[in-house]
Amino acid sequence: MAYKRQFYPGDSVPAKNRRRYMDPKQSLKKLRDIPMDDVVRIMGHRDVGSEYKSIHPPLEEGKEPDCPIRALVTPIEGAKKGDRVRYVQFTDSVYFAPISPYQRAWMYLSRYRGIDTGTLSGRQIIEMRERDLEKLAKEMIDNETFDPALTGIRGATVHGHACRLDEHGLMFDAWQRYVWDDKLKQVVYVKDQVALPLDKRIPVGKPAKTEDLKKRTTIFRVDGVDMRDDKEVTMYGLRIHKLRTLGGYQCYNVKGE
């Protein structure tokens, strides 16, 4: 029998969204089209139109010794060119953001090659060769896993994911990298991800309605879909958590669980 890849258990909306975001065969819905030059400005690693900086010669010019693994692995474009490694970091609100940091890691590792990623409570960093990272960042900003109000692009001072939303529904940002524009009636970035002022305001769209967010989110909440309401998720997820806790502190109680 051919192996069928599994992603996540459950029949609830958050469980189905987790599976969909992780599955590389599923195309994520595109909700906006932010120009690549503006994505580069928000990331802040290089000036628009400048050459990519490199950390080693292009692979075809190198003189690396023969390696069977290297012969098996096709390098991503940035590795071929010798690009330096850069990063982008997303912060996701607990208030029904489309995705949360841990699911971002699952999604990145399932969908992309040549990446390194790390998870903290409200943020998810991804490191990659620069030209490949810019393409990934644009895809993540354009698609349904991004919401202008509840997803922030923050390279420093990222706290605020669990704070109350402001009067426009925006997640708190101590550096106010993005603000509500009354004239455009949408969210605009006025600073790059490390809070350096931009030379132009970059619109990223209107916040989604709560009803729409609850259909797209991967987050379980008691005021949305409670994890305990999904029997399959509870059977596996909570059981694993329980056994891990008992195994660490009361291993004599694990028998029979």
mmCIF file of all heavy atoms in Angstrom, residues 216-237:
data_model
loop_
_atom_site.group_PDB
_atom_site.id
_atom_site.type_symbol
_atom_site.label_atom_id
_atom_site.label_comp_id
_atom_site.label_asym_id
_atom_site.label_seq_id
_atom_site.Cartn_x
_atom_site.Cartn_y
_atom_site.Cartn_z
ATOM 1 N N ARG A 216 -11.247 30.905 8.769
ATOM 2 C CA ARG A 216 -9.890 30.700 8.260
ATOM 3 C C ARG A 216 -8.881 30.326 9.334
ATOM 4 O O ARG A 216 -7.797 29.838 9.023
ATOM 5 C CB ARG A 216 -9.402 31.993 7.583
ATOM 6 C CG ARG A 216 -10.071 32.301 6.275
ATOM 7 C CD ARG A 216 -9.918 33.766 5.902
ATOM 8 N NE ARG A 216 -8.557 34.257 6.024
ATOM 9 C CZ ARG A 216 -8.226 35.544 6.038
ATOM 10 N NH1 ARG A 216 -9.173 36.465 5.944
ATOM 11 N NH2 ARG A 216 -6.978 35.911 6.154
ATOM 12 N N THR A 217 -9.224 30.526 10.606
ATOM 13 C CA THR A 217 -8.229 30.412 11.665
ATOM 14 C C THR A 217 -7.838 28.969 11.975
ATOM 15 O O THR A 217 -8.615 28.033 11.761
ATOM 16 C CB THR A 217 -8.723 31.094 12.953
ATOM 17 O OG1 THR A 217 -7.634 31.204 13.875
ATOM 18 C CG2 THR A 217 -9.850 30.300 13.600
ATOM 19 N N THR A 218 -6.627 28.806 12.486
ATOM 20 C CA THR A 218 -6.165 27.517 13.007
ATOM 21 C C THR A 218 -6.219 27.503 14.536
ATOM 22 O O THR A 218 -5.804 26.537 15.166
ATOM 23 C CB THR A 218 -4.705 27.246 12.593
ATOM 24 O OG1 THR A 218 -3.849 28.255 13.171
ATOM 25 C CG2 THR A 218 -4.544 27.268 11.081
ATOM 26 N N ILE A 219 -6.723 28.579 15.125
ATOM 27 C CA ILE A 219 -6.678 28.751 16.580
ATOM 28 C C ILE A 219 -7.933 28.184 17.246
ATOM 29 O O ILE A 219 -9.054 28.523 16.859
ATOM 30 C CB ILE A 219 -6.516 30.241 16.936
ATOM 31 C CG1 ILE A 219 -5.187 30.786 16.385
ATOM 32 C CG2 ILE A 219 -6.585 30.450 18.449
ATOM 33 C CD1 ILE A 219 -5.014 32.282 16.550
ATOM 34 N N PHE A 220 -7.725 27.339 18.246
ATOM 35 C CA PHE A 220 -8.819 26.870 19.086
ATOM 36 C C PHE A 220 -9.011 27.872 20.223
ATOM 37 O O PHE A 220 -8.044 28.280 20.878
ATOM 38 C CB PHE A 220 -8.498 25.492 19.679
ATOM 39 C CG PHE A 220 -8.562 24.369 18.684
ATOM 40 C CD1 PHE A 220 -7.401 23.841 18.125
ATOM 41 C CD2 PHE A 220 -9.780 23.817 18.308
ATOM 42 C CE1 PHE A 220 -7.450 22.803 17.219
ATOM 43 C CE2 PHE A 220 -9.847 22.764 17.394
ATOM 44 C CZ PHE A 220 -8.671 22.261 16.851
ATOM 45 N N ARG A 221 -10.258 28.284 20.460
ATOM 46 C CA ARG A 221 -10.584 29.216 21.549
ATOM 47 C C ARG A 221 -11.944 28.825 22.133
ATOM 48 O O ARG A 221 -12.817 28.342 21.403
ATOM 49 C CB ARG A 221 -10.659 30.660 21.040
ATOM 50 C CG ARG A 221 -9.336 31.320 20.710
ATOM 51 C CD ARG A 221 -9.582 32.714 20.157
ATOM 52 N NE ARG A 221 -10.306 33.547 21.106
ATOM 53 C CZ ARG A 221 -9.746 34.485 21.859
ATOM 54 N NH1 ARG A 221 -8.456 34.724 21.763
ATOM 55 N NH2 ARG A 221 -10.462 35.206 22.688
ATOM 56 N N VAL A 222 -12.127 29.073 23.402
ATOM 57 C CA VAL A 222 -13.417 28.732 24.014
ATOM 58 C C VAL A 222 -14.544 29.596 23.464
ATOM 59 O O VAL A 222 -15.710 29.204 23.509
ATOM 60 C CB VAL A 222 -13.357 28.868 25.556
ATOM 61 C CG1 VAL A 222 -12.435 27.836 26.140
ATOM 62 C CG2 VAL A 222 -12.934 30.273 25.975
ATOM 63 N N ASP A 223 -14.213 30.790 22.916
ATOM 64 C CA ASP A 223 -15.255 31.630 22.331
ATOM 65 C C ASP A 223 -15.344 31.437 20.814
ATOM 66 O O ASP A 223 -15.983 32.208 20.115
ATOM 67 C CB ASP A 223 -15.020 33.111 22.667
ATOM 68 C CG ASP A 223 -13.643 33.604 22.253
ATOM 69 O OD1 ASP A 223 -12.787 32.766 21.895
ATOM 70 O OD2 ASP A 223 -13.401 34.823 22.299
ATOM 71 N N GLY A 224 -14.685 30.406 20.319
ATOM 72 C CA GLY A 224 -14.784 30.033 18.913
ATOM 73 C C GLY A 224 -15.076 28.547 18.849
ATOM 74 O O GLY A 224 -16.166 28.109 19.178
ATOM 75 N N VAL A 225 -14.077 27.772 18.443
ATOM 76 C CA VAL A 225 -14.163 26.310 18.486
ATOM 77 C C VAL A 225 -13.234 25.822 19.583
ATOM 78 O O VAL A 225 -12.028 26.063 19.541
ATOM 79 C CB VAL A 225 -13.768 25.682 17.133
ATOM 80 C CG1 VAL A 225 -13.788 24.153 17.242
ATOM 81 C CG2 VAL A 225 -14.704 26.147 16.028
ATOM 82 N N ASP A 226 -13.784 25.171 20.583
ATOM 83 C CA ASP A 226 -12.999 24.633 21.688
ATOM 84 C C ASP A 226 -12.366 23.315 21.244
ATOM 85 O O ASP A 226 -13.028 22.475 20.638
ATOM 86 C CB ASP A 226 -13.902 24.395 22.901
ATOM 87 C CG ASP A 226 -13.109 24.152 24.184
ATOM 88 O OD1 ASP A 226 -12.135 23.369 24.133
ATOM 89 O OD2 ASP A 226 -13.465 24.738 25.216
ATOM 90 N N MET A 227 -11.084 23.158 21.527
ATOM 91 C CA MET A 227 -10.403 21.924 21.160
ATOM 92 C C MET A 227 -11.137 20.686 21.692
ATOM 93 O O MET A 227 -11.181 19.634 21.056
ATOM 94 C CB MET A 227 -8.962 21.933 21.676
ATOM 95 C CG MET A 227 -8.169 20.670 21.344
ATOM 96 S SD MET A 227 -6.487 20.681 21.997
ATOM 97 C CE MET A 227 -5.685 21.759 20.810
ATOM 98 N N ARG A 228 -11.745 20.829 22.870
ATOM 99 C CA ARG A 228 -12.440 19.694 23.490
ATOM 100 C C ARG A 228 -13.722 19.316 22.746
ATOM 101 O O ARG A 228 -14.298 18.259 22.986
ATOM 102 C CB ARG A 228 -12.756 20.023 24.949
ATOM 103 C CG ARG A 228 -11.504 20.062 25.828
ATOM 104 C CD ARG A 228 -11.776 20.690 27.171
ATOM 105 N NE ARG A 228 -12.062 22.115 27.036
ATOM 106 C CZ ARG A 228 -12.155 22.952 28.073
ATOM 107 N NH1 ARG A 228 -11.990 22.508 29.301
ATOM 108 N NH2 ARG A 228 -12.416 24.237 27.867
ATOM 109 N N ASP A 229 -14.161 20.178 21.812
ATOM 110 C CA ASP A 229 -15.343 19.864 21.011
ATOM 111 C C ASP A 229 -15.020 18.960 19.825
ATOM 112 O O ASP A 229 -15.924 18.442 19.174
ATOM 113 C CB ASP A 229 -15.994 21.155 20.487
ATOM 114 C CG ASP A 229 -16.564 21.996 21.613
ATOM 115 O OD1 ASP A 229 -16.871 21.432 22.675
ATOM 116 O OD2 ASP A 229 -16.685 23.225 21.428
ATOM 117 N N ASP A 230 -13.722 18.815 19.541
ATOM 118 C CA ASP A 230 -13.291 17.967 18.430
ATOM 119 C C ASP A 230 -12.759 16.661 19.010
ATOM 120 O O ASP A 230 -11.665 16.602 19.546
ATOM 121 C CB ASP A 230 -12.204 18.674 17.613
ATOM 122 C CG ASP A 230 -11.921 17.993 16.285
ATOM 123 O OD1 ASP A 230 -11.850 16.747 16.262
ATOM 124 O OD2 ASP A 230 -11.776 18.696 15.271
ATOM 125 N N LYS A 231 -13.562 15.607 18.919
ATOM 126 C CA LYS A 231 -13.223 14.357 19.594
ATOM 127 C C LYS A 231 -11.912 13.760 19.104
ATOM 128 O O LYS A 231 -11.136 13.206 19.882
ATOM 129 C CB LYS A 231 -14.362 13.347 19.408
ATOM 130 C CG LYS A 231 -15.647 13.739 20.119
ATOM 131 C CD LYS A 231 -16.727 12.682 19.932
ATOM 132 C CE LYS A 231 -18.001 13.090 20.675
ATOM 133 N NZ LYS A 231 -19.090 12.075 20.502
ATOM 134 N N GLU A 232 -11.642 13.867 17.795
ATOM 135 C CA GLU A 232 -10.420 13.271 17.267
ATOM 136 C C GLU A 232 -9.186 14.036 17.750
ATOM 137 O O GLU A 232 -8.169 13.444 18.107
ATOM 138 C CB GLU A 232 -10.443 13.236 15.738
ATOM 139 C CG GLU A 232 -9.310 12.409 15.160
ATOM 140 C CD GLU A 232 -9.352 12.324 13.639
ATOM 141 O OE1 GLU A 232 -10.248 12.943 13.038
ATOM 142 O OE2 GLU A 232 -8.491 11.647 13.073
ATOM 143 N N VAL A 233 -9.273 15.359 17.788
ATOM 144 C CA VAL A 233 -8.171 16.168 18.293
ATOM 145 C C VAL A 233 -7.937 15.876 19.771
ATOM 146 O O VAL A 233 -6.806 15.719 20.231
ATOM 147 C CB VAL A 233 -8.457 17.675 18.081
ATOM 148 C CG1 VAL A 233 -7.424 18.524 18.820
ATOM 149 C CG2 VAL A 233 -8.438 18.003 16.594
ATOM 150 N N THR A 234 -9.026 15.795 20.537
ATOM 151 C CA THR A 234 -8.915 15.517 21.967
ATOM 152 C C THR A 234 -8.297 14.147 22.208
ATOM 153 O O THR A 234 -7.427 13.975 23.073
ATOM 154 C CB THR A 234 -10.305 15.571 22.639
ATOM 155 O OG1 THR A 234 -10.887 16.842 22.385
ATOM 156 C CG2 THR A 234 -10.196 15.359 24.129
ATOM 157 N N MET A 235 -8.726 13.170 21.426
ATOM 158 C CA MET A 235 -8.253 11.798 21.610
ATOM 159 C C MET A 235 -6.739 11.706 21.462
ATOM 160 O O MET A 235 -6.072 11.004 22.219
ATOM 161 C CB MET A 235 -8.933 10.879 20.596
ATOM 162 C CG MET A 235 -8.499 9.420 20.672
ATOM 163 S SD MET A 235 -9.524 8.347 19.644
ATOM 164 C CE MET A 235 -9.208 9.023 18.010
ATOM 165 N N TYR A 236 -6.190 12.444 20.485
ATOM 166 C CA TYR A 236 -4.757 12.357 20.238
ATOM 167 C C TYR A 236 -3.990 13.485 20.933
ATOM 168 O O TYR A 236 -3.069 13.236 21.711
ATOM 169 C CB TYR A 236 -4.489 12.391 18.732
ATOM 170 C CG TYR A 236 -4.977 11.154 18.022
ATOM 171 C CD1 TYR A 236 -6.112 11.184 17.223
ATOM 172 C CD2 TYR A 236 -4.309 9.941 18.165
ATOM 173 C CE1 TYR A 236 -6.575 10.042 16.580
ATOM 174 C CE2 TYR A 236 -4.768 8.795 17.534
ATOM 175 C CZ TYR A 236 -5.888 8.848 16.741
ATOM 176 O OH TYR A 236 -6.334 7.727 16.120
ATOM 177 N N GLY A 237 -4.384 14.731 20.683
ATOM 178 C CA GLY A 237 -3.628 15.867 21.208
ATOM 179 C C GLY A 237 -3.599 15.939 22.719
ATOM 180 O O GLY A 237 -2.523 16.033 23.330
#
